[in-house]
Amino acid sequence: MNRLQIPDVRGSLSRSWERLPRWGRFAVYVLLLVGAVLLPADSIGRIMAPESDWKSILFFPIGVYVLLAVGLNIVVGEAGLLDLGYVAFFAIGGYAMALLGTEQGWSFWVILPTAIAMAAVAGVILGAPTLRLRGDYLAIVTLGFGEIIRITANNSNWMGGPRGIAGIPHPPNVGHVSQLQYGVIDPKPYYYLVLALLVIVIVVVQRLKHSRVGRAWMAIREDEDAAELMGVPTFKFKLWAFAIGASIGGAGGVMFASKVIAITPSNFPFILSVLILAAVVMGGSGNIAGVILGAFLVAWLPERFRGFADYRVLVFGGALVVLMIFRPQGLLPSRQRAEEMTEGQGGMGSMGAETAAET
C-alpha cells in the first residue's frame, strides 16, 4: 500500500514545484544554500555526528562524495552509461594537485583548471575506444581503467609508488577572513571551498540538462538505437558525458589532495567507485536533488553509526538494502526516471532494461 502511495506524493510535490514562480524557486535555492552554509555549526554536529569531528566529515567524505556523485550522475543518470571506474578521474585530479604542487610549485588556482582539463582528456581517451560498448561490457572496461590508474600510481616511482606523495600545498589564504584561511587544523574553509565549487557545478549541469546536449543524453538513455536513427550523434554526446563527468571527478580530486597534504594509491580504491554509484542510484539517478541526498546518506550514515564499532558497516549495508527494497527507483527520482523504472527501462543500457517492472 505504502509503495503505491509514495509516487503520488512525489508527483504532487513535483507539480507544486513546477507551479512555483521563478522568484519562489530562487528563494528556495537561497534557503538551501543558507542551510548548507550553517551546517558546520557545533549544535548541528552534536546531533549529526556525536562521535566524529562534524566539520571534518562535512568536507570529506560528505562534500567530496556529493561533488563526485553529481559528476557521475551525468554519465549514469543523464546519458545512461554504467561507469565502474569513476575513481580513476578522482585519482587523476589528486595526483595532478600533488605533482604540480610539490614539483612545479604551481598555485592551487592554476592547478584546479589544469587538473579539470587533464581529467576531461582522460575521459575522452577512455571513452573514444570503449563507448561503442554497452551495459555490462562498458562497466567491465571502465572498472579496468580505474584499476589501471591505481596500479600505475602504485608502481611508478615518479608518482611516489606505494608511499605516495607528501607535502601537498594548501590553497592560498584569502585576506584575513577566517573562513578563507587554509591550514591543517580547521576543515571549515575547505568545506566552504567545495560548497562553492558544488554550486557552480550544479548550475552548469542544470543548464546542460535543459539544453540540446541534455535532450540528446535523455534520448540516448531511453533508447540509443532509436536516437541514432533519429539523427542524434550518439557517440559524440556520450563522449561529452564522459568528459564532463570526468572533469568534475578531477576537481574533486584536487579538493581532496589539497586538504589531506599527502596521498597514496590506497586513497583511490575500487570500492569508492561503487559507493558513488550507490549514492547516485539510491538517491535517484537523473535528479540532482536526489543524487545529493543519496551521496549525503552514503557518506554520513557510516559516521553516524560509528558507535556500533565493527558492526557499523553491517548496519550501513542493511540500511542501503532496505532503501533499495522499498525505493528501487531511488529516494528522489525525477518523474521521468520513475516512469522508466516502472516500465522496466532502468536507463543504464542493456543492464537497465533488465530491471523488473513493479506490480
Side-chain angles (χ1 to χ4, degrees):
M1 176 68 69
N2 291 336
R3 293 180 65 185
L4 295 176
Q5 293 174 348
I6 289 174
D8 293 332
V9 173
R10 183 189 64 246
S12 176
L13 291 174
S14 178
R15 288 189 294 271
S16 298
W17 175 257
E18 291 172 357
R19 286 195 296 267
L20 273 179
R22 179 171 295 183
W23 65 266
R25 297 186 187 187
F26 182 77
V28 172
Y29 293 144
V30 170
L31 289 175
L32 290 174
L33 183 58
V34 170
V37 170
L38 297 177
L39 268 183
D42 292 334
S43 57
I44 297 177
R46 284 191 291 269
I47 298 172
M48 300 296 289
E51 300 185 32
S52 303
D53 182 9
W54 173 238
K55 295 184 182 69
S56 293
I57 68 173
L58 264 182
F59 170 73
F60 186 85
I62 292 175
V64 174
Y65 276 27
V66 170
L67 182 62
L68 294 178
V70 171
L72 184 59
N73 181 59
I74 294 175
V75 181
V76 175
E78 300 296 339
L81 307 171
L82 188 56
D83 185 356
L84 291 179
Y86 193 67
V87 71
F89 308 115
F90 182 56
I92 288 170
Y95 272 96
M97 179 67 206
L99 291 170
L100 296 176
T102 58
E103 297 186 6
Q104 304 299 323
W106 289 15
S107 167
F108 170 86
W109 299 111
V110 177
I111 297 173
L112 180 59
T114 303
I116 289 173
M118 291 172 62
V121 170
V124 172
I125 293 174
L126 170 62
T130 62
L131 283 178
R132 301 194 186 280
L133 301 174
R134 300 186 187 181
D136 47 356
Y137 299 104
L138 178 62
I140 292 170
V141 172
T142 55
L143 186 157
F145 179 74
E147 288 299 287
I148 287 171
I149 296 297
R150 183 182 61 82
I151 293 171
T152 299
N154 193 67
N155 295 335
S156 300
N157 292 330
W158 65 277
M159 297 179 72
R163 292 177 299 177
I165 301 174
I168 303 171
H170 297 297
N173 295 331
V174 180
H176 299 286
V177 182
S178 60
Q179 283 77 14
L180 299 177
Q181 304 297 306
Y182 299 97
V184 179
I185 298 176
D186 188 7
K188 189 188 296 185
Y190 296 95
Y191 166 70
Y192 288 135
L193 183 61
V194 78
L195 179 62
L197 179 61
L198 184 61
V199 170
I200 295 172
V201 167
I202 290 175
V203 171
V204 172
V205 169
Q206 285 295 93
R207 298 282 292 180
L208 282 173
K209 183 176 180 179
H210 297 290
S211 69
R212 176 172 175 264
V213 176
R215 290 191 292 272
W217 286 340
M218 181 178 64
I220 292 169
R221 184 186 70 227
E222 292 184 349
D223 192 326
E224 183 175 344
D225 293 328
E228 194 161 358
L229 288 172
M230 293 297 292
V232 177
T234 57
F235 179 77
K236 182 181 78 172
F237 283 109
K238 288 195 294 183
L239 207 57
W240 268 107
F242 251 72
I244 296 172
S247 65
I248 298 173
V254 173
M255 295 288 176
F256 173 74
S258 68
K259 169 64 171 66
V260 299
I261 303 176
I263 59 172
T264 65
S266 62
N267 293 130
F268 310 101
F270 165 67
I271 189 63
L272 183 57
S273 292
V274 175
L275 286 174
I276 302 303
L277 179 61
V280 172
V281 175
M282 184 183 74
S285 61
N287 184 19
I288 291 290
V291 168
I292 292 174
L293 176 61
F296 182 90
L297 292 176
V298 166
W300 170 67
L301 286 177
E303 297 298 331
R304 189 63 181 84
F305 295 144
R306 187 170 287 276
F308 289 86
D310 293 339
Y311 295 99
R312 70 189 180 110
V313 177
L314 178 63
V315 175
F316 169 63
L320 293 183
V321 170
V322 170
L323 285 172
M324 287 296 93
I325 289 175
F326 292 100
R327 296 288 292 177
Q329 70 272 46
L331 292 171
L332 292 175
S334 63
R335 186 166 53 187
Q336 185 171 2
R337 296 286 287 158
E339 292 172 356
E340 290 173 1
M341 287 292 296
T342 303
E343 295 170 2
Q345 300 295 325
M348 292 185 191
S350 61
M351 293 188 75
E354 295 168 3
T355 307
E358 294 182 17
T359 57

